[in-house]
Amino acid sequence: MTIYLFLFGVLLGLGLFFIAADLLKLPTLATQKAMLSAGKQAKAKPKTTEALLHTAAVRLSAYIPMDEYKKSRMANVLSAAGLSETPELFMAKAIAKSAAIALAAIPCLMVLPLLAPIVLFLAVLVYFKEIRKADEALANKRGKIEAELPRFVATITQELKASRDVLSMLENFKKNAGEDFAAELDVLTADMRSSSYEAALTRFEARFNSPMLSDITRGLIGVLRGDDSAVYFQMLSHDMKQLELQRLKAQAMKIPPKIRVFSFAMLMCFLMTYMAIIIYEIIHSLGGMF
């Protein structure tokens, strides 16, 4: 009898849900997936849980308060990181994912109460991880761009000997730049064509908040104003090379600990091989004695 009551409750809930979805003109799950995949460049189709969480986040984003400074700062970070979401939607997605995990604590309280605090702690960790996702993406993108800046400065230093056309320098370097830097230079050159050169360079500098990029844009603005920036870029190129050497040394310092772990594993394998041979010979010798 209990099973029949449970099935009745499930079917009644599904029926009421479908009736409410039809009255409220809610889109189907397939439509939500199609809308979600249309805004992404990746070819992978969104999962069902992702579509449901996105729908919940869109509805929740209308009720998230956010002051203008925080909203403007987060909008700049999302734009620089290559994310097309609004600040409210980004916050709502983090809350929706953590809330979905926190709801799992309810059945845990009925089945295994000791597991509920762990689930709630996991929900908090997921929230902070999702909140930092934009900053991590921006830091990763900034690192890739800063790795190309020494070569960019060296190119500008050489081209200043023959020309002072900043737009032409950016266009020429864009052809050989990495994917992330080329995309940003594409945005910069398009902005320079549609507005003031100095304003476009200032906006380009503000998007990443990188000291290395600030030094370069300051020099390019000086070129636009007619300053003799050849010596400035020569000194900047020297400093960039030193920073590049320090970065490479820092990466090289991280390699020995990794090699040490594999060396220890190889040593243990050799010892186990020798021990297996010795034990086999001992057992074989003892067998011959008897």
Side-chain angles (χ1 to χ4, degrees), residues 75-205:
N76 292 332
V77 172
L78 292 172
S79 177
L83 302 175
S84 58
E85 302 168 352
T86 61
E88 293 86 358
L89 181 58
F90 180 77
M91 290 284 294
K93 288 182 71 173
I95 295 173
K97 288 184 179 180
S98 60
I101 297 175
L103 288 175
I106 298 176
C108 289
L109 290 173
M110 296 183 291
V111 179
L112 192 61
L114 294 177
L115 192 61
I118 299 176
V119 174
L120 293 176
F121 181 71
L122 181 62
V124 174
L125 288 180
V126 169
Y127 172 76
F128 285 107
K129 180 179 180 298
E130 292 295 324
I131 286 297
R132 292 195 298 266
K133 186 179 290 185
D135 292 326
E136 291 174 356
L138 179 58
N140 186 27
K141 189 174 183 180
R142 187 191 295 122
K144 292 180 180 178
I145 291 177
E146 287 182 348
E148 297 189 58
L149 292 183
R151 185 166 58 92
F152 181 48
V153 174
T155 303
I156 294 176
T157 304
Q158 294 299 322
E159 291 198 5
L160 279 176
K161 298 176 180 179
S163 173
R164 299 180 62 87
D165 189 356
V166 175
L167 183 59
S168 177
M169 296 178 190
L170 298 175
E171 289 284 359
N172 293 332
F173 187 81
K174 183 176 66 175
K175 300 175 183 177
N176 301 315
E179 182 179 357
D180 293 324
F181 197 23
E184 292 300 324
L185 289 178
D186 197 14
V187 175
L188 173 60
T189 52
D191 193 9
M192 291 175 68
R193 289 192 182 95
S194 60
S195 64
S196 170
Y197 281 16
E198 293 188 18
L201 288 170
T202 304
R203 285 190 289 267
F204 176 66
E205 175 189 358

Side-chain angles (χ1 to χ4, degrees), residues 14-34:
L14 288 174
L16 292 175
F17 171 76
F18 287 126
I19 292 173
D22 185 67
L23 292 175
L24 296 174
K25 306 296 183 183
L26 296 178
T28 62
L29 187 59
T31 305
Q32 294 176 20
K33 286 184 178 181

Side-chain angles (χ1 to χ4, degrees), residues 250-287:
Q251 291 182 354
M253 291 295 291
K254 297 177 182 179
I255 296 176
K258 297 179 180 179
I259 297 176
R260 198 174 297 124
V261 172
F262 293 109
S263 300
F264 180 75
M266 291 178 63
L267 177 61
M268 293 302 297
C269 290
F270 282 124
L271 290 177
M272 290 175 63
T273 303
Y274 285 124
M275 290 299 295
I277 295 173
I278 292 171
I279 293 172
Y280 173 78
E281 290 296 333
I282 293 174
I283 294 174
H284 184 71
S285 300
L286 292 176

Side-chain angles (χ1 to χ4, degrees), residues 2-68:
T2 307
I3 298 177
Y4 291 119
L5 289 175
F6 178 75
L7 291 176
F8 173 77
V10 171
L11 293 175
L12 179 62
L14 288 174
L16 292 175
F17 171 76
F18 287 126
I19 292 173
D22 185 67
L23 292 175
L24 296 174
K25 306 296 183 183
L26 296 178
T28 62
L29 187 59
T31 305
Q32 294 176 20
K33 286 184 178 181
M35 293 174 61
L36 189 59
S37 61
K40 293 185 175 181
Q41 296 179 356
K43 295 182 180 179
K45 294 182 179 179
K47 299 179 181 179
T48 303
T49 55
E50 186 180 355
L52 294 175
L53 288 174
H54 182 77
T55 303
V58 170
R59 296 181 180 278
L60 182 62
S61 62
Y63 304 98
I64 293 182
M66 188 175 296
D67 58 273
E68 290 298 326

